[in-house]
């Protein structure tokens, strides 16, 4: 039975910045550019492989050669639809491509093929959790498919610029949110949530370092109460003038840029000046945003329908097929983990953050104690992986091996302390836990006679400690430790505890 | 076989099959004619080596079952990208450009055995009606007014193609038609040219002018040759998203000349103020010929015709302004010499200022203007709406039982080169008044030579057909051709 999603949550408090004239709130909307995880480009058969020799993944159409024509890659369309379904969005069976015209050397056609007027995906939503029971519902306005540009390289030669067209024409999904985000942390969490959903779906690998996920952030400030007026009326005049900070590919930069930009705008307004709507760039070295182009140079993109492409018409049945093959999404998985395995909100969040981790956990937890499995994965495994800087996909110990350790504990073959040793050995050597326990003779001593003998010996050798323990029963733990030491850690701790208590008359 | 170069494709095909002539002989005859016709400036790049190789290959596989075009020498408009051969759209900005790919149309023609004699002159980027915007200088019409050696335009933009076919330099040629660029030069030079239904012929590898209007088609001595060529050029191409996935019929087999019971519409809006008597009477003559051939003639109305030319001169430049943005000096073709300190903006400005001629610059500027923020709705969007209305006019006529529409092809016979030099550019645009509607509606249209004017210059009539029914249209044109019996040839002066 599928877990029932608990969608009751409280909205987080908006970020408030105190200015000289009173409090200010932030209003943020994002345009996230996600590279479609397709092997070929949006309108050509050229490869999308990252890191190839410059200008080696370029078809004639990508290079804007005369007479070349674009042909839509159906796989990219399917991935965009899948993303839309994952964001619970309207899928438009009829969409169309437009040309966005501007001159730049890394834009060989002199225009980017995009979808201004009729995007393939319409309104959807994303739930962005900011803590247990606290989440922001962010409305998605649209997702459209478009071509990426190439790369201009200006620092290789003092007099010349170079252009690499490998990225030219790679498919991007531009995911446009409504201005529903109210603080820098929320913005980063929103991007993280999109990334998580798309990685679950397999529609974008979300690698921000390689530029596969980038964000343009629209920031404005308003007085407390204004945002609520906007929400009631959807009238933007209640909000402040926004600035767009372009092309950020790090969660940290997104937060820093928003923080800086909000304070810059507040300072302007409080100074009696006004915010000019413009495009700005974030300079991570100086931690500030600066104007990208002046109004005089403002681009007029002269959008118009691309006459080389017919409208994109897809069938509802095809969309239904994609929908029926949709994987379990993060929110549902988390709810199921909490319901089926009794996990806390926090543990379930961490375990579902990455699909591979969730898969690993589920394999370990299958038929076992879910909470114990979660503890082992979260504490032992993740701790060890973090130490080595390994991702879960490179874990030297598989889920089946970790499961064996849990089974050995459940059968009282080993205790928790030995289990950790076995884990470490298995992690570093790749040996099977069962084999380690057998070969190393780590099987737990459950023979009460042997344990009793060890307890008696410790008591006999430490009369002074016995007196102290009788006065202060908390000191019984010392005897337990000594017995464990004497048995090489293999004694069943429960049996030792009971015997020590009995012998000391506690 | 006295004059091989004056053969029709059909006659040459039959002679080749019978072994009366070889492709090598045909090809040599054409190459000789081309070399003797530099005064016409029709061929801007000759490819005799390729021609001889292709002719030899054709002769090697000739026989009764060789394709129709096996061994037939053709000229190729410079707008088509031909692999390894200069393909410049008659523009300075594509100086030295030799594509590494072959357009779908020329690939299909060569696969069918056709022989390429060279690249043909045209207006720069197919923008013009007189061939005078070519970087190579204009082609010259082989026809002259009686007793007058004024050099006349072959029309445009496929002026080189028209001149070459009319002058017997090749047996047929490729053209392209965005607003009349096949039909107007065909009419000016006494040959036949058809613009197929939009989507019938692949645009892949043809240098784009206005993507939603551009369509390639054949230019030939007669209707039968046009039918043979069109069959080889047409067909679905997965590389062109706007190409139609429809079977290509054997157009030649549909030429019966029987149009009894067909309904021919005469649109009253094509009777323009100030239209020369000779055009008017030619049109009336065409109407009579169709009637005599057994067709039913009806007067029809295409009420939005008068908005066609302005709508066309919004839509076409808008698309052109975007299509021509790629000519920036970055990757191929011409790049202007830059001064110390010049940046990317200077490179674009200087390259495009010296690379594009005046007419191209004019249209890029018009197109940029009509797509600009604040003007888009008033111009481009309105033009799109007008276009839809024009299309609907035709659809209603066809729905009312009209099979084809008869109009003049051009508002005049060929005019003198340089005559329009000082005129308002709109005067030149008026040449397209009868032809642009067909492009805006995406329909097939054919120009058939139907008579001579008082000065001995050819005049053409245009037939417009239902979408995808080029076979039926060609057959109607065939009936007109037989009735008109146009046999005049230009006297050789070059």
């Amino acid at each position: 039975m599928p877990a029932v999603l608990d969608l009751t949550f409280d909205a987080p408090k908006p970020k408030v910045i105190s200015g000289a004239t009173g409090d200010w709130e932030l209003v943020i909307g994002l345009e996230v550019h996600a590279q479609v995880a397709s092997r070929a480009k949006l309108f050509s058969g050229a490869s999308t492989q990252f890191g190839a020799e410059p200008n080696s993944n370029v078809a004639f159409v990508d290079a804007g050669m005369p007479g070349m024509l674009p042909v839509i890659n159906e796989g990219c369309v399917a991935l965009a639809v899948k993303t839309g379904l994952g964001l619970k969005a309207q899928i438009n069976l009829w969409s169309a491509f437009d040309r966005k015209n501007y001159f730049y050397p890394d834009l060989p056609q002199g225009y980017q093929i995009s979808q201004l007027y009729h995007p393939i995906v319409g309104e959807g939503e994303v739930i962005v959790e900011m803590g247990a029971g606290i989440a922001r519902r962010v409305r998605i306005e649209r997702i459209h498919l478009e071509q990426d540009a190439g790369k201009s390289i200006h620092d290789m030669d003092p007099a010349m610029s170079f252009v690499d067209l490998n990225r030219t024409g790679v498919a991007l999904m531009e995911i446009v949110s409504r201005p529903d985000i109210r603080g820098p942390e929320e913005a980063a969490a929103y991007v993280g949530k999109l990334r998580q959903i798309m990685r679950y779906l397999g529609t974008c690998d979300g690698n921000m370092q390689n530029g596969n996920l980038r964000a343009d952030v629209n920031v404005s400030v308003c007085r407390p109460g204004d945002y609520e007026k906007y929400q009631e009326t959807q009238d933007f005049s209640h909000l402040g003038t926004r600035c767009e900070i372009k092309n950020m590919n790090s969660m940290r930069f997104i937060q820093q840029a928003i923080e800086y930009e909000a304070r810059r705008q507040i300072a302007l307004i409080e100074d009696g000046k006004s915010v000019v709507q413009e495009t700005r760039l974030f300079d991570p070295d100086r931690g500030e945003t600066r104007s990208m182009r002046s109004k005089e140079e403002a681009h007029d993109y002269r959008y118009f329908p691309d006459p080389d492409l017919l409208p994109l018409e897809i069938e509802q049945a095809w969309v239904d097929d994609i929908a029926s093959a949709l994987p379990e999404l993060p929110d549902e998985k988390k709810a199921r983990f909490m319901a089926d395995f009794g996990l806390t909100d926090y543990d379930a969040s961490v375990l579902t953050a990455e699909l591979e981790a969730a898969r690993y956990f589920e394999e370990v937890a299958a038929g076992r104690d879910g909470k114990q499995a979660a503890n082992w994965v979260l504490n032992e495994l993740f701790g060890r992986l973090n130490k080595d800087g390994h991702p879960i996909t490179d874990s030297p110990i598989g889920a089946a091996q970790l499961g064996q350790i849990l089974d050995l504990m459940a059968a009282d073959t080993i205790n928790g302390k030995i289990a950790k040793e076995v884990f470490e050995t298995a992690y570093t050597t790749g040996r099977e836990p069962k084999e380690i326990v057998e070969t190393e003779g780590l099987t737990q001593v459950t023979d009460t006679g042997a344990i009793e003998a060890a307890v008696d010996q410790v008591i006999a050798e430490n009369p002074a400690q016995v007196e102290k323990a009788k006065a202060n029963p908390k000191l019984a733990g010392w005897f337990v430790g000594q017995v464990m030491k004497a048995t090489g850690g293999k004694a069943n701790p429960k049996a030792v505890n009971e015997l020590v208590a009995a012998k000391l008359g506690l | 076989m006295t004059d091989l170069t004056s053969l029709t494709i059909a006659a040459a095909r039959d002679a080749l099959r019978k072994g009366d002539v070889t492709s090598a002989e045909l090809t040599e005859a054409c190459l000789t004619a081309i070399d003797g016709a530099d005064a016409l400036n029709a061929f801007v790049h000759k490819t005799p080596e390729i021609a001889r190789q292709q002719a030899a290959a054709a002769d090697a596989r000739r026989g009764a079952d060789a394709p129709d075009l096996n061994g037939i020498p053709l000229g190729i408009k410079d707008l088509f990208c031909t692999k390894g051969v200069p393909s410049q759209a008659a523009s300075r900005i594509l100086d030295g450009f030799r594509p590494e790919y072959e357009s779908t149309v020329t690939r299909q023609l060569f696969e069918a055995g056709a022989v390429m004699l060279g690249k043909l002159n045209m207006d720069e980027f197919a923008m013009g009606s007189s061939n005078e915007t070519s970087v190579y200088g204009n082609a010259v019409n082989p026809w002259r007014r009686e007793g007058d050696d004024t050099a006349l335009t072959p029309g445009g933009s496929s002026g080189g193609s028209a001149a070459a076919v009319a002058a017997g330099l090749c047996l047929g040629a490729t053209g392209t038609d965005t607003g009349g660029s096949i039909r107007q030069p065909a009419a000016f030079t006494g040959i036949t040219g058809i613009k197929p239904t939009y989507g019938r012929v692949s645009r892949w590898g043809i240098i784009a002018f206005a993507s939603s209007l551009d369509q390639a088609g054949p230019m030939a001595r007669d209707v039968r040759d046009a039918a043979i060529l069109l069959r080889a050029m047409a067909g679905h191409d997965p590389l062109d998203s706007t190409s139609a996935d429809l079977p290509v019929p054997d157009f030649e087999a549909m030429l019966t000349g029987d149009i009894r019971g067909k309904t021919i519409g005469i649109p009253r809006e094509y009777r323009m103020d100030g239209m020369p008597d000779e055009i008017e009477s030619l049109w009336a003559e065409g109407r009579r010929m169709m009637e005599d051939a057994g067709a039913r003639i009806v007067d029809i109305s295409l009420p939005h015709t008068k908005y066609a030319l302005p709508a066309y001169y919004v839509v076409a430049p808008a698309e052109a302004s975007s299509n021509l943005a790629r000519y920036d000096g970055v990757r191929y073709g011409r790049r202007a010499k830059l001064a110390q300190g010049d940046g990317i903006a200077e490179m674009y400005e200087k390259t495009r200022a010296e690379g594009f001629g005046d007419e191209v610059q004019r249209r890029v500027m018009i197109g940029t203007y009509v797509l600009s923020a604040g003007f888009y709705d008033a111009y481009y969007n309105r033009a799109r709406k007008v276009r839809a209305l024009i299309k609907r006019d035709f659809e209603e006529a066809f729905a009312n039982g009209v099979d084809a529409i008869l109009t003049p092809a051009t508002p005049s016979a060929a005019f003198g080169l340089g005559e329009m030099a000082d005129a308002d550019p709109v005067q030149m645009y008026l040449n397209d008044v009868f032809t642009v509607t067909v492009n805006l509606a995406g329909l097939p249209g054919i120009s058939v030579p139907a008579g001579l004017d008082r000065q001995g210059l050819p005049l053409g009539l245009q037939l417009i057909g239902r979408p995808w029914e080029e076979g039926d249209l060609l057959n109607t044109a065939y009936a007109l051709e037989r009735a008109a019996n146009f046999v005049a040839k230009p006297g050789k002066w070059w």
Side-chain angles (χ1 to χ4, degrees):
Chain A
M1 198 186 110
V4 178
L5 270 178
D6 179 11
L7 287 178
T8 57
F9 48 79
D10 296 323
K13 295 242 179 319
K15 164 105 177 173
V16 175
I17 295 177
S18 301
T21 60
D23 283 351
W24 296 89
E25 288 182 5
L26 277 60
V27 179
I28 300 159
L30 277 88
E31 292 164 21
V32 170
H33 299 261
Q35 182 178 323
V36 177
S38 61
R39 294 221 305 271
K41 295 183 179 181
L42 182 54
F43 295 112
S44 84
S47 165
T48 59
Q49 191 207 337
F50 180 80
E53 275 293 297
N55 296 310
S56 60
N57 292 339
V58 187
F60 290 127
V61 66
D62 304 324
M65 299 304 278
M68 293 297 94
L69 298 172
V71 177
I72 186 79
N73 176 345
E74 194 183 310
C76 294
V77 178
L79 292 173
V81 167
K82 202 171 175 186
T83 303
L85 293 169
L87 301 183
K88 313 209 179 330
Q90 164 76 34
I91 304 300
N92 295 323
L93 298 181
W94 193 98
S95 66
F97 290 98
D98 305 295
R99 292 185 184 176
K100 178 182 182 178
N101 295 281
Y102 65 96
F103 284 92
Y104 208 67
D106 59 24
L107 188 76
Q109 297 173 121
Y111 53 84
Q112 175 195 36
I113 304 178
S114 182
Q115 296 191 298
L116 176 70
Y117 298 110
H118 302 283
I120 184 157
V121 178
E123 294 185 338
E125 67 168 34
V126 177
I127 307 297
V128 182
E129 288 174 37
M130 300 303 297
I134 299 174
R136 178 74 69 195
R137 186 191 300 272
V138 178
R139 292 169 300 161
I140 302 294
E141 185 184 313
R142 56 188 280 154
I143 305 175
H144 60 256
L145 276 168
E146 64 182 27
Q147 298 178 297
D148 205 347
K151 198 165 90 180
S152 295
I153 303 154
H154 302 294
D155 53 5
M156 271 173 66
D157 184 287
M160 285 199 286
S161 289
F162 294 84
V163 179
D164 178 4
L165 299 181
N166 281 351
R167 216 175 61 191
T168 304
V170 165
L172 299 179
M173 294 177 280
E174 180 169 327
I175 304 168
V176 183
S177 85
R178 300 273 182 198
D180 291 352
I181 297 161
R182 308 300 313 282
E185 298 79 14
E186 277 183 39
Y190 165 75
V191 174
K193 187 61 181 279
L194 283 183
R195 179 178 181 276
Q196 183 192 26
I197 292 171
M198 290 189 290
R199 284 177 56 83
Y200 266 60
L201 294 167
T203 58
C204 169
D205 73 14
N207 188 329
M208 296 187 84
Q209 265 180 334
N210 292 354
N212 294 355
L213 194 65
R214 317 190 287 268
D216 299 342
V217 184
N218 286 285
V219 181
S220 67
V221 295
C222 65
R223 292 294 191 182
D226 288 347
Y227 186 79
E228 286 68 25
K229 285 181 204 156
Y230 154 72
Q231 273 197 315
E232 275 164 37
T233 58
Q234 294 297 306
D235 177 355
F236 287 99
S237 68
H238 294 295
L239 303 179
T241 304
R242 67 190 153 87
C243 288
E244 183 180 19
I245 314 162
K246 278 279 190 200
N247 214 23
M248 282 176 292
N249 63 349
S250 130
M251 303 282 194
R252 196 160 52 91
F253 294 164
I254 289 171
Q255 297 186 59
Q256 289 173 354
I258 293 170
E259 183 86 28
Y260 175 88
E261 180 59 21
R263 291 183 188 278
R264 185 188 73 88
Q265 292 182 11
I266 292 165
L268 273 178
I269 301 165
E270 293 193 330
D271 240 21
K273 298 172 189 155
S274 50
V275 176
V276 182
Q277 186 173 334
E278 62 177 357
T279 307
R280 301 178 68 85
L281 271 184
F282 179 65
D283 178 346
D285 295 330
R286 312 180 66 164
E288 59 187 39
T289 65
R290 57 166 190 269
S291 186
M292 201 167 151
R293 40 180 103 97
S294 67
K295 212 174 180 182
E296 288 76 18
E297 286 178 33
H299 275 130
D300 179 350
Y301 292 120
R302 293 171 282 122
Y303 278 101
F304 75 108
D306 191 329
D308 283 334
L309 292 159
L310 298 174
L312 180 55
E313 294 180 73
I314 55 177
E315 306 268 333
Q316 185 60 48
W318 187 67
V319 175
D320 292 343
D321 281 349
I322 296 172
S324 64
L326 221 54
E328 183 182 40
L329 291 170
D331 289 345
E332 284 117 43
K333 197 180 282 295
K334 182 185 156 190
R336 184 168 60 80
F337 280 9
M338 290 169 71
D340 290 3
F341 300 115
L343 304 190
T344 63
D345 188 291
Y346 178 80
D347 286 355
S349 290
V350 177
L351 285 171
T352 54
E354 293 283 348
L355 188 57
E356 292 79 9
R359 280 206 192 111
Y360 190 105
F361 163 72
E362 279 209 82
E363 200 182 329
V364 175
R368 302 193 177 95
D369 177 347
K371 272 185 178 170
Q372 194 191 22
N375 284 337
W376 272 80
V377 171
L378 288 167
N379 300 323
E380 303 309 320
L381 180 69
F382 282 9
R384 196 69 179 77
L385 291 172
N386 281 342
K387 205 170 123 191
D388 292 351
H390 284 314
I392 183 87
T393 43
D394 291 349
S395 173
I397 181 165
Q401 282 70 45
L402 185 51
Q404 269 180 37
I405 296 176
L406 299 193
D407 290 345
L408 289 166
M409 280 197 288
D412 276 344
T413 309
I414 56 173
N415 61 39
K417 186 171 177 296
I418 295 294
K420 287 180 188 177
E421 284 175 24
V422 174
F423 172 82
E424 182 60 25
T425 308
Y427 184 95
T428 47
T429 65
R431 287 162 61 193
E432 290 293 311
K434 269 185 196 158
E435 178 269 323
I436 295 167
V437 169
E438 281 162 24
T439 315
E440 318 268 321
L442 298 176
T443 303
Q444 175 167 256
V445 179
T446 44
D447 172 3
T448 40
I451 297 172
E452 197 174 349
V455 172
D456 288 344
Q457 195 184 340
V458 173
I459 286 175
E461 285 170 4
N462 297 285
Q465 289 289 337
V466 173
E467 289 313 308
K468 283 185 193 166
K470 280 185 172 160
N472 181 4
K474 279 185 189 162
L475 293 178
W478 183 86
F479 288 91
V480 174
Q482 292 301 307
V483 173
M484 292 305 286
K485 206 171 163 185
T487 57
K490 290 184 286 184
N492 182 330
K494 192 164 161 262
V496 176
N497 267 315
E498 284 167 7
L499 279 165
V500 167
K503 297 273 178 188
L504 292 177
L506 299 175
Chain B
M1 292 295 155
T2 47
D3 189 0
L4 292 176
T5 64
S6 65
L7 288 176
T8 61
I9 291 171
R13 169 190 62 189
D14 298 342
L16 283 162
R17 282 183 180 160
K18 276 192 272 174
D20 292 348
V21 68
T22 64
S23 176
E25 289 164 346
L26 264 178
T27 300
E28 287 306 326
C30 288
L31 291 172
T32 304
I34 292 166
D35 280 339
D38 285 349
L40 296 179
N41 198 26
F43 278 86
V44 294
H45 189 82
K46 303 171 190 174
T47 55
E49 299 81 10
I50 292 174
R52 289 181 181 119
Q53 275 173 22
Q54 288 174 329
D59 283 333
R61 68 165 169 172
R62 78 177 166 179
D65 52 359
D68 283 342
L69 290 178
N70 193 48
I72 302 294
L74 302 176
I76 305 297
K77 189 178 182 180
D78 200 32
L79 202 63
F80 292 78
C81 287
T82 43
K83 191 171 181 177
V85 175
S87 307
Q88 270 185 246
S91 179
R92 177 168 288 121
I93 208 154
L94 277 166
D95 264 355
F97 177 64
R98 291 169 186 248
E100 291 182 43
Y101 43 88
E102 189 72 49
S103 80
T104 298
V105 166
T106 47
R107 178 181 55 74
Q108 289 184 185
L109 288 172
F110 300 150
E111 283 171 4
V115 170
M116 174 167 71
L117 297 164
K119 302 301 282 286
L120 292 162
N121 209 346
M122 54 180 283
D123 281 293
E124 183 181 9
F125 283 106
M127 298 178 192
S129 301
S130 66
N131 215 140
E132 290 169 291
T133 69
S134 168
V135 70
Y136 303 110
N138 57 270
V140 180
N141 197 328
W143 292 82
R144 285 178 165 179
R145 296 175 186 129
E146 272 166 31
D148 179 349
D149 57 9
T150 305
L152 303 179
T153 176
S157 68
S158 310
S161 303
V165 172
L169 310 184
C170 53
L171 272 58
T174 62
T176 63
D177 189 318
T178 304
S181 281
I182 286 175
R183 292 160 288 160
Q184 182 252 25
F188 279 9
T189 56
I191 66 167
T192 300
I194 179 169
K195 183 208 89 76
T197 313
Y198 182 80
R200 178 60 99 175
V201 175
S202 170
R203 295 183 295 112
W204 194 87
I206 300 173
I207 297 171
F209 161 14
S211 310
S212 74
L213 301 160
D214 295 345
Q215 192 61 200
M219 302 180 74
R221 300 251 160 79
D222 61 16
V223 171
R224 180 174 301 278
D225 283 7
I228 294 169
L229 279 171
L230 180 58
R231 187 184 181 196
M233 294 169 74
H236 178 237
D237 181 3
L239 296 176
D240 175 1
S241 308
T242 62
S243 140
D245 193 359
L246 291 172
V248 179
D250 181 348
F251 297 121
E252 188 187 7
M254 296 170 82
L255 303 180
T256 61
D258 182 1
I259 58 164
R260 284 173 298 173
K262 295 280 182 190
T263 302
I264 306 295
I266 309 288
R268 73 172 62 97
E269 290 79 8
Y270 283 60
R271 185 158 284 107
M272 305 276 174
D273 284 344
M275 190 156 90
D277 299 346
E278 287 174 301
I279 300 292
E280 180 102 41
S281 54
L282 179 79
W283 192 11
E285 186 65 9
R287 174 185 182 134
R288 189 192 55 74
M289 289 189 272
M290 298 270 85
E291 204 159 20
D292 288 350
R296 193 169 71 93
I297 308 297
V298 292
D299 288 306
I300 61 166
S301 174
L302 300 169
H304 297 92
T305 300
K306 64 179 171 211
Y307 304 115
L309 204 60
Y312 174 84
Y313 276 97
V314 170
V315 172
E319 293 182 11
S321 71
S322 177
N323 282 335
L324 270 57
R326 65 189 58 200
Y327 307 109
D328 56 7
V330 174
R331 299 169 310 287
Y332 49 78
R334 189 184 186 91
R335 180 189 295 181
K337 285 217 162 46
L338 301 180
Q340 194 69 35
D342 278 354
I344 187 69
E346 288 78 14
M347 185 174 105
Y348 289 148
E349 285 167 13
K350 290 182 178 178
T351 297
R352 290 166 66 83
E354 65 181 48
F356 289 141
D358 289 348
E359 184 59 29
V360 171
Q361 292 192 27
R362 180 179 295 120
R363 295 199 197 188
V364 167
M365 284 190 273
I366 291 171
T368 303
Y369 177 81
V370 298
L371 289 176
S372 298
F375 299 104
Y376 180 85
D377 283 332
Y379 290 99
Y380 186 75
N381 242 353
R382 187 170 294 181
R384 290 223 301 167
K385 287 175 192 162
V386 168
R387 187 174 181 178
L389 292 172
I390 287 165
K391 192 159 183 257
R392 204 177 63 189
D393 284 353
F394 282 107
E395 283 165 359
E396 282 174 8
F398 293 133
N400 289 331
V402 169
D403 294 297
I405 295 163
L406 181 74
T407 79
T410 57
S412 73
F415 49 89
L417 286 158
E419 249 172 40
M420 305 276 252
D422 300 320
D424 183 322
V426 173
Q427 286 304 116
M428 188 69 93
Y429 299 165
L430 284 171
N431 263 287
D432 303 332
V433 70
F434 298 129
T435 45
V436 290
T437 51
V438 173
N439 300 80
L440 288 169
L443 300 172
I446 187 167
S447 173
V448 177
L452 296 174
D453 74 357
R454 281 184 212 98
Q455 297 173 301
L457 295 180
L459 295 172
L461 285 173
Q462 172 178 238
L463 282 162
I464 302 166
R466 298 167 181 269
W468 313 115
E469 295 190 12
E470 288 88 351
D472 196 51
L473 178 65
L474 283 159
N475 186 45
T476 307
Y478 183 57
L480 178 62
E481 176 184 80
R482 291 213 298 199
N485 191 28
F486 181 90
V487 291
K489 298 280 179 214
K492 186 172 184 304
W493 52 263
W494 58 90

